[in-house]
Amino acid sequence: MYAPQEDTELLTDALADEPVPAGAEVLDVGTGSGALALAAARRGLRVTAVDVSRRAVWATRLNSRRARVPVRVCRGNLFTPVADRTFDLILANPPYVPAPADGELPRGPARAWDAGGDGRLILDRLCVQAPERLRPGGVLLLVQSALSGPEVTVGLLRTAGLKAAVTRRRRIAFGPVLRSRADWLRERGLLPASENTEELLVIRAELPV
């Protein structure tokens, strides 16, 4: 289960600035501990949270009860539990950290951050599937690392018919995961030799009315 960190904070800030009317329907896909779902619910939005992890589902339910805000929580892979629904706003903080490819999918806690050799194991699926779950005028807010091809994300979303752009950026010091694989990232050409910070970005994509 993914504990809230700088990327969660950056996306929460973007959510706070998004002019979503009270009562709008929101999906937090890959909710982790439910931090984004709770932030949306506190605004009077109708929130559904989805995560593939049983632990994340139970944590979000517990945190929702403690915060006394209603959140519908479902277990499943990305949009599978809500395949028959559309939303006014979709929030996504997916795994996006490039990881040495060994032919196996991430397991255990690493599922919350490892995303294949290019960091796009989940991002590409989100870009393809999210537009189908948006209502006209609906918005996707997604956070990712500059190491995992934000220009690819923007391009895929535009190809799907959305108006997409990077709207927020923040540089942070490497955490334990990136510190442990910095040499590998440099060997892959994903990280300059002198760089020891990571740039996080929020991408906003809107489905035209």
Side-chain angles (χ1 to χ4, degrees):
M1 184 183 65
Y2 187 77
Q5 298 184 43
E6 287 92 343
D7 50 3
T8 308
E9 181 182 345
L10 189 62
L11 193 53
T12 302
D13 290 345
L15 168 63
D17 287 345
E18 190 65 33
V20 187
E25 292 201 61
V26 178
L27 174 66
D28 181 17
V29 58
T31 192
S33 65
L36 288 164
L38 268 61
R42 290 187 181 103
R43 289 183 55 181
L45 308 177
R46 292 183 291 170
V47 182
T48 300
V50 173
D51 204 291
V52 72
S53 163
R54 288 187 179 89
R55 182 174 293 182
V57 167
W58 283 108
T60 300
R61 287 175 178 162
L62 178 60
N63 290 334
S64 171
R65 293 190 187 108
R66 285 176 171 171
R68 298 184 179 179
V69 291
V71 175
R72 178 187 179 194
V73 189
C74 307
R75 180 172 179 263
N77 196 336
L78 291 181
F79 300 98
T80 302
V82 293
D84 59 344
R85 298 176 60 194
T86 56
F87 298 88
D88 301 294
L89 176 65
I90 295 175
L91 305 168
N93 183 0
Y96 53 68
V97 178
D102 56 9
E104 295 183 3
L105 295 175
R107 297 174 61 87
R111 289 189 303 176
W113 56 81
D114 280 354
D118 58 1
R120 300 201 57 85
L121 183 67
I122 305 300
L123 281 165
D124 286 341
R125 292 171 59 196
L126 273 170
C127 291
V128 171
Q129 297 177 28
E132 299 176 353
R133 304 272 64 82
L134 283 174
R135 296 170 181 168
V139 170
L140 166 68
L141 292 176
L142 179 152
V143 65
Q144 69 168 89
S145 172
L147 297 172
S148 48
E151 70 284 351
V152 177
T153 299
V154 171
L156 288 172
L157 292 169
R158 288 176 177 173
T159 298
L162 279 63
K163 297 183 290 184
V166 175
T167 57
R168 288 176 181 264
R169 299 175 183 267
R170 180 181 297 176
R171 281 208 168 270
I172 64 170
F174 282 169
V177 174
L178 284 184
R179 282 199 301 270
S180 71
R181 64 186 61 160
D183 289 343
W184 176 81
L185 289 167
R186 293 186 176 102
E187 290 171 4
R188 289 286 308 274
L190 296 173
L191 187 67
S194 60
E195 185 60 74
N196 58 5
T197 63
E198 177 188 17
E199 186 177 33
L200 301 176
L201 311 98
V202 171
I203 295 170
R204 183 185 188 275
E206 181 175 348
L207 182 65
V209 176

